[in-house]
Amino acid sequence: MSKPPPLDLTETLVSSRKVFDGNLLHVYQDQARLPDGKVRVREYITHPGAVVIIPLLDNGELVLERQHRYPLHQDFFELPAGKIDPGEDPPSCAQRELLEETGYTAESWRYLTTLHPCIGYSDEKLIYYLAQGLSFQGENLDEGEHLEVFTLSLPTALEWVKSGKITDNKSVSGLFWAEKVLRGEW
């Protein structure tokens, strides 16, 4: 007995309307035709995408940041990351962001994965890189950017995830990837 072909779950654009045009985010409200022929509203945010860097020092420690995040009005412990500028390729963005935010450059860059953190309401993608062979050049933060850079061992960072001290999704995902990669499992 053969398997039936997979269902076609495609939703087709009927009309689109931009309802908010911000500096970073753009919000759309579309009418989409569902596989059953009905038309429903789909609201979503477009985002330029971002890179996430897992910076690994020669001593095995990670370079992390503490940064205040306004929407939640609290400080978060995070991996360095930043949005991709128009026309910028992701590897160049990763190099730029690592230097700007932490003051480090890296000799070795390894693409790890691309993740989609908000598939229910955004097209944002996060592109992850492992950066090794770090050397400190000096911080070069963007205007209006304030953060504290520090180092932490991977086991301690994972314990911070377990205890709820690190809750930022991009960082949690990156730390889990780092664990697998550094163990040679991936």
Side-chain angles (χ1 to χ4, degrees), residues 160-176:
W160 284 18
V161 170
K162 183 179 176 184
S163 71
K165 192 169 183 175
I166 294 178
T167 61
D168 167 54
N169 187 38
K170 74 178 180 312
S171 298
V172 171
S173 297
L175 292 170
F176 287 157

Side-chain angles (χ1 to χ4, degrees), residues 31-49:
Q31 297 288 321
R33 186 168 317 284
L34 306 184
D36 64 5
K38 295 178 182 169
V39 175
R40 293 288 186 263
V41 172
R42 296 292 185 243
E43 296 173 340
Y44 61 97
I45 299 166
T46 61
H47 184 284

Side-chain angles (χ1 to χ4, degrees), residues 29-92:
Q29 185 179 68
D30 290 1
Q31 297 288 321
R33 186 168 317 284
L34 306 184
D36 64 5
K38 295 178 182 169
V39 175
R40 293 288 186 263
V41 172
R42 296 292 185 243
E43 296 173 340
Y44 61 97
I45 299 166
T46 61
H47 184 284
V51 297
V52 182
I53 304 108
I54 302 168
L56 185 66
L57 292 166
D58 292 341
N59 68 4
E61 293 207 331
L62 298 167
V63 178
L64 297 171
E65 306 170 351
R66 181 177 63 88
Q67 188 169 185
H68 188 81
R69 294 301 191 167
Y70 184 82
L72 294 167
H73 300 290
Q74 68 184 61
D75 292 359
F76 285 86
F77 299 103
E78 307 175 40
L79 289 168
K83 77 171 182 66
I84 301 168
D85 288 338
E88 185 176 36
D89 70 305
S92 297

Side-chain angles (χ1 to χ4, degrees), residues 12-20 26-33 39-46 123:
T12 308
L13 177 67
V14 174
S15 65
S16 183
R17 178 172 73 96
K18 188 182 282 187
V19 294
F20 176 75
H26 310 284
V27 181
Y28 290 84
Q29 185 179 68
D30 290 1
Q31 297 288 321
R33 186 168 317 284
V39 175
R40 293 288 186 263
V41 172
R42 296 292 185 243
E43 296 173 340
Y44 61 97
I45 299 166
T46 61
D123 68 350

